[in-house]
Amino acid sequence: MERTQLLSLTQEELRSFLRELDTAPFRAKQVGEWLARGAAIEEMTNLPAALRARLAECAVANPVSIRESFRSKLDDTQKLLYELADGNLIEGVVMRYHYGDTLCLSTQVGCRMGCRFCASTLNGRVRDLTAGEMLGQVLAVNRMLAPEGRRVHNIVLMGSGEPLDNYENTVKFLHLVNSPERTNISLRNISLSTCGLVPRMRDLANEGLPVTLSISLHAPNDEVRKQLLPVANAYAIEDVLSAAREYVEKTGRRVIFEYALVKGVNSELRHADELASRLRGLRGHVNLIPLNAVRERDLHPPTRADVDAFLRRLEARHISATVRREMGADIEGACGQLRRRVLEDRQER
Ligand code: SAH
C-alpha cells in the first residue's frame, strides 16, 4: 500500500485522515504543528509511541531531504540537491536578500517542454511532484535556515519543471503554503513562471490567487520564439499576451516577462523594438536574463554592452525592464545544471 503523504493534506484532510485511524481529535493539531516544522514522524514526541508507529507504517511526513548543498563564494547563493522518497533528485536555490530569503522551487522531476537552452529538459520529464513534495522543499529549507535565524520569505516556481504542466498539484501547493497551519507565506510573495501554456494561464487567472505570473517570452515574435521554445508551435505569442492581459485584469497583479538574451537569436536592437511594440499598453515588466550557457547546447549570451543596449532601447520606448543579476555563477545556479551533473557522474561510476 502506498503511504499517505501528510504534507499533501490540508489541515481539514489531515483531521479526517487521523479520525479514520481512531485518534483523538486534538492529535490533528499536534501533527499539523510538527508537519509545519518539517519534522519526521519519529520526531513527533508528544504523540503516543503506538500512534507514531502506526503513522510510520501508513504515512510519510516530509518526503524531501537535502542531500547536498553548495554555497557560492561570490554572493551567498546556495544551490541544493534534494532527494525524494523514491530516490529521484531535484534542485533548489536559496538566494539571501536583505528583505528576506527567496527559494527557487521545482515542480517536476525533469521537464518535457524542451526549451532549447534549458538543462532541466535534456532528459525529459520523469514525473510530476506532489503538492507535499513542493511544500517539503520549503520546510526542508526552513529547517536548514533556522539556525541562522532566517526562513523562506519569497518563493519563485522557477526550478525544474513547468508548473502549469502539473496544474492541480501546483494549485494545491499554493493553498497549502499559504495556509496559517503550515507556512503562512503570502501569495503575493510567490511568483509562478510558465513557458506559456495558454489554457492553464487562463485557468490560473480564475483561481483568484494573487501570485505574480512570470511568462517566459524570450522572443518578440513567433518565428524567433519557435527557435527557442517548442511550446511556441502550440500557442501563438499573441494568445500568450492576451492570456497575460486577462491575468492582469482578473488578478490586479502585473505580469513579468522573462527574456533570456541569446546571441545571434533574439538580442539585436530590432528585436527590442519589436518587443516594445508588442508589449505596449500591457501592465508588465521585462526581466532580461543574459543566457546562462549550458554545456550541451551551442547557445551563448551576448556581450554585456549588447545587453545594456537592449535594455536602454526598451527603456527609451517606455517599457519597464531590468537585467537580472546573475547569482551563483560558480555553483551551477542555472536550471537543471546541478542535477544533470550528478546524474552524469552516476552513469560514469
Ligand atoms: N517552466 C517554467 C519555469 C522554469 S525556468 C518556465 O518555462 O518559465 C525559469 C526561467 O529560467 C524561465 O524563464 C526559463 O526560460 C529560464 N531559463 C532556463 N534555462 C536558462 C538558461 N540556460 N539561461 C537563462 N535562462 C534560462
Side-chain angles (χ1 to χ4, degrees), residues 124-295:
R125 181 189 62 169
V126 178
R127 70 170 175 84
D128 286 338
L129 295 190
T130 64
E133 287 169 329
M134 296 183 213
L135 185 61
Q137 295 169 56
V138 183
L139 295 170
V141 170
N142 271 346
R143 267 199 140 182
M144 177 190 85
L145 293 173
E148 295 175 50
R150 314 183 70 106
R151 64 194 195 89
V152 175
H153 190 258
N154 300 289
I155 295 173
V156 293
L157 299 179
M158 293 191 186
S160 67
E162 165 50 50
L164 298 187
D165 186 38
N166 183 13
Y167 189 85
E168 301 287 327
N169 289 323
T170 299
V171 168
K172 178 142 197 202
F173 159 73
L174 293 172
H175 287 290
L176 289 170
V177 78
N178 179 233
S179 83
E181 290 99 345
R182 295 296 178 268
T183 38
N184 206 10
I185 293 177
S186 164
L187 294 173
R188 292 175 183 277
N189 295 353
I190 300 180
S191 292
L192 184 154
S193 182
T194 179
C195 61
L197 300 181
V198 171
R200 297 287 87 76
M201 288 166 70
R202 297 220 155 92
D203 291 341
L204 189 69
N206 290 322
E207 298 281 351
L209 301 168
V211 298
T212 300
L213 185 63
S214 286
I215 300 165
S216 297
L217 204 60
H218 302 320
N221 60 48
D222 285 318
E223 196 196 332
V224 175
R225 201 156 186 265
K226 283 177 192 174
Q227 289 176 36
L228 296 172
L229 282 73
V231 71
N233 293 297
Y235 304 107
I237 195 165
E238 267 315 308
D239 294 336
V240 173
L241 294 177
S242 95
R245 240 171 248 122
E246 197 174 316
Y247 194 85
V248 171
E249 278 158 24
K250 290 205 167 136
T251 63
R253 311 280 297 164
R254 68 175 187 170
V255 289
I256 310 275
F257 295 104
E258 314 269 355
Y259 197 105
L261 288 161
V262 189
K263 187 175 165 184
V265 179
N266 65 1
S267 61
E268 282 155 33
L269 290 180
R270 64 188 164 92
H271 296 124
D273 289 336
E274 194 179 352
L275 182 65
S277 345
R278 274 255 188 236
L279 298 184
R280 189 162 303 136
L282 223 161
R283 217 155 73 83
H285 177 83
V286 177
N287 215 334
L288 297 173
I289 318 160
L291 185 80
N292 239 305
V294 174
R295 218 184 333 138

